Amino acid sequence: MKAADTLLQMVRSTDAIRAFAKRIEIDAAQLKKPLRVMEVCGGHTHAILQYGLDQLLPQSVKLIHGPGCPVCVLPQHRIDAAINLAWRPNTILVTLGDMIRVPGSQGISLQQTRAAGADVRYVYSPLDCLAIAADNPDKNIIYVAIGFETTTPMTALLLEQTQSKQLNNLFFHCNHVLVPQAMERILAAGGAVDAFIAPGHVSVMAGAKQYQHLAEKYRTPVVISGFEPVDLLDAVLRIINQVNSGVAEVDNAYSRFVKTAGNHKAQQLVATYFEPHDDFLWRGIGRIPGSALKLRSTFGDRDAEVQFPESCPAPTEEKPGNCLCGLILMGLAQPTDCPLFADGCTPQNPQGSCMVSNEGACAAYYKYRRES
Amino acid sequence: MTDTIQLAHGSGGLENQQLIHDLFFTAFDNPVLAAGEDAALIEGGRLAVSTDSFTVSPLFFPGGDIGTLAVAGTLNDVAMRGARPQHITVAFIIEEGVKMNMLIRIINSMREELAVSGAQVIAGDTKVVPRGVIDQLMINTTGFGTIVSDCNTRRIAAGDHLIISGDIARHGACIFAAREEIAIKGLTSDCCTLWPAIAPLLEAGLDVHAMRDATRGGISAVFNEWAQQTGLNFNLHEDNIPVSSEVRGFAEILGIDPYILACEGVFVMAVAAQDSAAVINLLHRHGHPRAALVGAVETTQGTATVLLHSAYGTKRRLEYPSGEILPRIC
Ligand code: SF4
């Protein structure tokens, strides 16, 4: 723990934070127009609000929150599928943490489904499914996989081990989504964002190279950042400097973990088991071609959508009602713009997914900023 | 209210508090209960009483077991009221098939933990239920103690200093890590009886206004409950809150806020400002070397809040914990 400890102290050090804030203030004075920086990842949004980093930035630099919360972007029909699957006879439904809190179209979450009697479990590591499957040979174990490029390799590894151990009772409901496609959608829509802070954990796996074409095609700086105060301020400073010198490129402010090529082994594993999903609806954003992954058809006998089609409703566009999540995920609104925020909509009584998931922007504002 | 009871209703956060207020306080309304303290005062204010039920998985964890918890937890609630813990009742609900030597081990830890405060078991009960009805073992304990100095939330005043007795979140992190089978070296529960640290403070006549052990919901639940009950602001300095490097590492990996994780041997106090240095000094000498001044109580014009101030000049709310504690996904 010792080395990690010093590193943590360094990236949280008060002196370093103050120094970066000062530098940002000086360099931002050179900006010709206000700069809108989107942090794509929900983890970044939380770190920014938790440490109050936005309070350290000058008026001319505005942080905009992005779509990088895997639970927030999951459409209700896929949550409905998970709930239906959980109610199948002899079934244990397994998923990751926050997924169990989001309500589907009937207002019921997996958590409530569990309280009503279904066997719903959450794991920290997807590989825990192996033990659950081995311990319950007479039951079907359905793993509802969710997450960006960070968690996909773990699902691929689970699938690999399921195959090699011949665990015929383990199935996958795949909801893995991809970051660059979502970023491109925001850039293509235009007008919301001048630069990106790209997610650290995702980039550890996928590599810095996956943002190259975005920086070039849309002339938009992309800086990869970690999750500590100094990491994020460093990323903001690098963006300001790119803008001031008229360049737009991919820069890696998280090089202690992220390599340009990413983790090759993880990428290969993912390519072996998954292929692009062409009909994936993002909640509040809509269809983005090739923005999600599904099991390759060779593994159809593992795919819950293939094996239990009657439990998996067809994609349907949702009506957002008064909830601004769609605009928030696209960078076009802030949580506090929503009239329901903290009033009609709270984490205990959420009206939209950005409030449900702990990683959502509305939840972060509610947690750290309400009434202060 | 929801139709069904969810795990969140028992996790020491907002839902838990709502259930207590909407259902129990309404149904059983009386002035003693309505005081809403961890221990109630009866017999003309001389006797403090508190009850608690214990269920923990795994039953044995680094730093203790369910028996240690069942004794320390309840007696700590009595001690937090400013009372010397003297008697305790113990009720066991045991699942058919539990191994006798496991039960003996738990009873032995209870006996050892009782010796710390000198409290005695004065009544008990045993029920055995068929296999599968519960998970191995549950224990309910009720503790009694005589008041030395009545410490309670109503005594908290603007200007009070806030002290935390030790590094926070160890129990919550340790149980979470054990359940998820995440090995973090050196991470042990802080579970312990607090009376030996409280007694010298009360005997010295120091002006301690209120104390609360930061169990379920962590320090966040305590400060938020205090803010709600007193209508005062609680300002905390993040850098002064003691957190061990093991807990920091754990929180970092899972994306869980240490402020909402349970402690079982760390408590929070509001004390008169002029006595805070003496309180900390005595805590340091009686087994709590990391006790620290973490903030102060202030009046407010608006809604009472708990604010965390960073050393680099930013601030944020410390929210009332809510929902189940879940690790982040990405
Ligand atoms: S506050 Fe609630 S209703 Fe408003 S945008 Fe956020 S999630 Fe939607």
Side-chain angles (χ1 to χ4, degrees):
Chain A
M1 195 60 73
K2 276 295 163 272
D5 219 30
T6 357
L7 190 61
L8 259 188
Q9 277 159 6
M10 209 167 72
V11 287
R12 285 184 181 168
S13 119
T14 301
D15 288 344
I17 293 170
R18 285 217 173 104
F20 268 106
K22 188 80 210 142
R23 193 71 238 172
I24 287 172
E25 199 189 317
I26 295 167
D27 291 1
Q30 313 295 317
L31 287 169
K32 294 197 183 66
K33 59 181 179 83
L35 181 64
R36 296 161 305 172
V37 179
M38 173 180 274
E39 83 280 355
V40 180
C41 168
H44 282 156
T45 308
H46 268 259
I48 287 163
L49 289 158
Q50 178 182 350
Y51 297 113
L53 301 180
D54 52 333
Q55 298 164 34
L56 298 174
L57 300 180
Q59 288 260 315
S60 55
V61 181
K62 192 165 180 241
L63 294 175
I64 300 172
H65 318 305
C69 156
V71 168
C72 300
V73 299
L74 198 64
Q76 284 185 325
H77 71 89
R78 299 197 73 87
I79 300 159
D80 291 346
I83 293 169
N84 295 343
L85 290 167
W87 280 122
R88 293 187 67 86
N90 266 327
T91 297
I92 302 174
L93 188 104
V94 185
T95 190
L96 299 182
D98 230 18
M99 176 66 190
I100 69 168
R101 305 200 325 158
V102 234
S105 61
Q106 303 305 309
I108 304 282
S109 65
L110 282 170
Q111 208 167 19
Q112 285 159 320
T113 308
R114 178 183 65 192
D119 194 341
V120 175
R121 306 180 189 182
Y122 75 85
V123 290
Y124 174 64
S125 162
L127 294 181
D128 292 350
C129 292
L130 296 171
I132 299 176
D135 291 348
N136 297 279
D138 51 339
K139 291 200 170 164
N140 284 339
I141 317 304
I142 304 176
Y143 176 60
V144 175
I146 181 166
F148 287 98
E149 288 88 331
T150 337
T151 51
T152 320
M154 287 307 282
T155 309
L157 190 62
L158 175 63
L159 185 48
E160 186 183 67
Q161 304 228 352
T162 309
Q163 296 292 78
S164 70
K165 291 187 194 320
Q166 295 180 354
L167 290 166
N168 293 325
N169 59 337
L170 183 51
F171 302 91
F172 293 75
H173 183 261
C174 182
N175 301 284
H176 284 299
V177 281
L178 302 167
V179 166
Q181 283 75 357
M183 288 165 71
E184 176 143 26
R185 174 61 175 263
I186 288 162
L187 288 173
V193 177
D194 303 313
F196 284 109
I197 297 177
H201 293 154
V202 162
S203 310
V204 170
M205 294 298 182
K209 65 174 190 326
Q210 71 162 351
Y211 310 107
Q212 202 60 49
H213 81 283
L214 293 176
E216 284 164 11
K217 184 170 167 193
Y218 297 92
R219 300 231 12 96
T220 303
V222 179
V223 178
I224 298 163
S225 168
F227 296 82
E228 296 301 328
V230 167
D231 293 331
L232 283 156
L233 292 174
D234 185 14
V236 171
L237 183 62
R238 290 180 192 221
I239 286 171
I240 294 171
N241 290 334
Q242 282 198 36
V243 174
N244 279 340
S245 27
V247 290
E249 57 191 24
V250 178
D251 186 10
N252 185 357
Y254 199 37
S255 53
R256 66 178 187 272
F257 292 120
V258 176
K259 303 285 162 272
T260 306
N263 181 332
H264 184 63
K265 233 181 116 200
Q267 290 165 18
Q268 266 194 331
L269 200 58
V270 171
T272 308
Y273 292 100
F274 297 102
E275 62 189 16
H277 190 315
D278 269 329
D279 195 23
F280 200 92
L281 262 182
W282 288 55
R283 192 169 187 179
I285 297 182
R287 281 189 170 76
I288 311 178
S291 66
L293 295 172
K294 61 179 184 192
L295 260 57
R296 284 193 178 280
S297 47
T298 4
F299 305 105
D301 54 343
R302 297 286 175 202
D303 191 336
E305 291 183 74
V306 175
Q307 295 303 313
F308 316 114
E310 64 283 9
S311 299
C312 304
T316 31
E317 298 263 6
E318 292 155 36
K319 292 196 189 61
N322 293 326
C323 169
L324 300 187
C325 272
L327 294 177
I328 292 173
L329 294 170
M330 290 287 287
L332 297 168
Q334 299 278 73
T336 41
D337 295 336
C338 175
L340 296 176
F341 177 76
D343 203 358
C345 180
T346 63
Q348 290 75 43
N349 183 23
Q351 304 300 315
S353 55
C354 303
M355 187 61 95
V356 184
S357 170
N358 266 323
E359 284 156 67
C362 294
Y365 270 75
Y366 188 88
K367 181 167 178 177
Y368 300 121
R369 285 301 151 76
R370 190 164 37 103
E371 302 158 350
S372 73
Chain B
M1 260 190 272
T2 52
D3 298 347
T4 38
I5 288 291
Q6 321 263 315
L7 281 174
H9 283 119
S11 63
L14 210 54
E15 295 84 352
N16 195 197
Q17 203 207 22
Q18 272 162 2
L19 181 73
I20 293 171
H21 280 264
D22 298 352
L23 195 59
F24 303 132
F25 276 24
T26 315
F28 306 130
D29 185 37
N30 69 66
V32 177
L33 188 65
E37 300 286 340
D38 279 1
L41 288 200
I42 53 168
E43 296 293 313
R46 290 188 304 275
L47 193 63
V49 186
S50 186
T51 190
D52 211 337
S53 300
F54 297 83
T55 148
V56 60
S57 165
L59 290 177
F60 299 86
F61 47 83
D65 58 44
I66 190 172
T68 335
L69 266 185
V71 169
T74 293
L75 295 182
N76 285 346
D77 282 343
V78 170
M80 290 299 119
R81 191 72 204 247
R84 175 189 307 278
Q86 281 163 315
H87 302 292
I88 190 168
T89 68
V90 184
F92 292 96
I93 304 176
I94 310 169
E95 185 190 17
E96 168 192 31
V98 157
K99 293 270 177 293
M100 188 58 81
N101 58 11
M102 188 179 91
L103 192 60
I104 293 171
R105 220 177 122 191
I106 290 167
I107 300 292
N108 281 335
S109 353
M110 292 179 86
R111 202 181 48 199
E112 277 169 33
E113 202 56 35
L114 283 163
V116 178
S117 63
Q120 289 179 321
V121 174
I122 50 161
D125 179 52
T126 314
K127 295 278 181 294
V128 178
V129 295
R131 208 182 281 273
V133 170
I134 60 161
D135 183 15
Q136 301 188 75
L137 179 70
M138 287 185 185
I139 305 178
N140 171 275
T141 49
T142 302
F144 303 85
T146 40
I147 282 289
V148 179
S149 159
D150 181 9
C151 299
N152 63 65
T153 316
R154 286 184 311 276
R155 292 183 60 195
I156 299 175
D160 277 5
H161 279 184
L162 298 168
I163 293 167
I164 295 182
S165 71
D167 59 293
I168 59 163
R170 288 224 315 267
H171 182 73
C174 161
I175 296 298
F176 209 106
R179 237 179 259 166
E180 301 296 324
E181 293 175 10
I182 305 166
I184 296 183
K185 233 178 108 209
L187 182 60
T188 56
S189 168
D190 57 340
C191 179
C192 73
T193 296
L194 293 168
W195 178 246
I198 312 284
L201 305 176
L202 302 182
E203 277 155 21
L206 294 172
D207 198 2
V208 177
H209 291 163
M211 299 184 277
R212 217 28 102 72
D213 52 346
T215 53
R216 285 174 314 171
I219 63 163
S220 169
V222 175
F223 285 125
N224 275 287
E225 233 172 273
W226 278 0
Q228 275 182 12
Q229 287 179 4
T230 60
L232 297 166
N233 266 358
F234 286 72
N235 283 305
L236 307 174
H237 294 281
E238 196 153 20
D239 273 20
N240 297 351
I241 299 174
V243 186
S244 70
S245 56
E246 290 80 15
V247 167
R248 254 192 224 297
F250 165 88
E252 200 57 27
I253 296 168
L254 287 122
I256 293 175
D257 196 342
Y259 306 131
I260 66 168
L261 288 173
C263 316
E264 287 292 346
V266 167
F267 61 107
V268 166
M269 0 175 39
V271 305
Q274 77 273 5
D275 281 355
S276 73
V279 167
I280 292 171
N281 194 329
L282 275 179
L283 286 173
H284 286 174
R285 281 172 32 209
H286 290 93
H288 298 265
R290 294 200 66 180
L293 177 65
V294 298
V297 185
E298 267 176 24
T299 50
T300 168
Q301 307 318 330
T303 327
T305 30
V306 182
L307 283 180
L308 272 176
H309 298 263
S310 75
Y312 42 92
T314 64
K315 61 177 187 213
R316 63 150 164 131
R317 279 172 53 96
L318 181 61
E319 191 211 24
Y320 211 123
S322 134
E324 248 176 273
I325 298 175
L326 299 168
R328 79 166 151 236
I329 293 179
C330 262

